[in-house]
């Protein structure tokens, strides 16, 4: 079982949001679920760089934090769908604002990221 090496620090809102949204694909998962991509296979197609295992782990964490709900239909093979909870829907305007900020500063951010990537390669 996983044992945390660094103790939790939940002293402010930024610590809390970091704990809930930490994970490379979580913000994108929330966004795509909000757009109507509800099944794991659809999410995998939207995020092809992520492994199925990592997506499942992050979906489970989002569910554990109460941001999404999972419905399993009693059919063979089992059908699973994810939906945002009412609480999860409150994050969509925040994610939208972050995306807009990224779009507004796309050229600068891309150049800085590529420059740093080249320096570490």
């Amino acid at each position: 079982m996983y044992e945390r090496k660094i103790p939790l620090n939940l002293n402010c809102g930024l610590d809390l949001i970091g704990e809930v949204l930490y994970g490379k694909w979580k913000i994108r998962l929330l966004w795509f679920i909000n757009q109507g991509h509800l099944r794991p296979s659809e999410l995998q197609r939207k995020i092809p760089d992520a492994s199925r295992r990592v997506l499942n782990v992050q979906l489970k964490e989002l569910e554990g934090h109460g941001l999404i709900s999972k419905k399993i239909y009693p059919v063979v093979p089992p059908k699973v769908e994810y939906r945002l909870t009412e609480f999860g829907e409150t994050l969509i305007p925040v994610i939208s604002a972050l995306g807009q900020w990224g779009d507004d500063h796309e050229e600068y951010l891309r150049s800085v990221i590529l420059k740093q990537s080249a320096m570490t390669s």
Side-chain angles (χ1 to χ4, degrees):
M1 184 161 175
Y2 172 77
E3 185 176 324
R4 186 180 277 277
K5 293 181 177 108
I6 300 172
L8 279 175
N9 181 4
L10 305 176
N11 296 324
C12 71
L14 290 174
D15 293 336
L16 294 166
I17 195 82
E19 188 62 34
V20 171
L21 293 181
Y22 177 75
K24 187 170 184 175
W25 311 111
K26 285 184 180 179
I27 291 174
R28 292 178 74 186
L29 285 167
L30 290 167
W31 187 256
F32 291 138
I33 291 169
N34 182 60
Q35 290 183 327
H37 303 283
L38 310 177
R39 308 230 16 237
S41 59
E42 294 173 321
L43 295 168
Q44 181 72 57
R45 280 193 294 277
K46 295 298 283 182
I47 311 173
D49 293 340
S51 71
R52 175 64 66 104
R53 181 189 164 286
V54 168
L55 288 182
N56 285 338
V57 166
Q58 292 193 2
L59 286 164
K60 186 175 181 178
E61 290 173 359
L62 290 169
E63 185 181 11
H65 286 113
L67 297 172
I68 62 174
S69 63
K70 176 181 178 178
K71 182 171 183 176
I72 302 171
Y73 293 90
V75 295
V76 178
K79 178 182 173 184
V80 175
E81 286 186 350
Y82 292 95
R83 299 203 184 277
L84 291 180
T85 62
E86 192 173 319
F87 180 55
E89 289 174 359
T90 65
L91 265 175
I92 297 305
V94 176
I95 293 170
S96 180
L98 285 171
Q100 186 60 54
W101 182 84
D103 289 345
D104 291 347
H105 302 283
E106 178 180 2
E107 189 174 314
Y108 173 77
L109 291 170
R110 182 173 280 119
S111 70
V112 169
I113 292 166
L114 290 173
K115 183 179 175 182
Q116 287 179 343
S117 177
M119 289 172 50
T120 60
S121 296

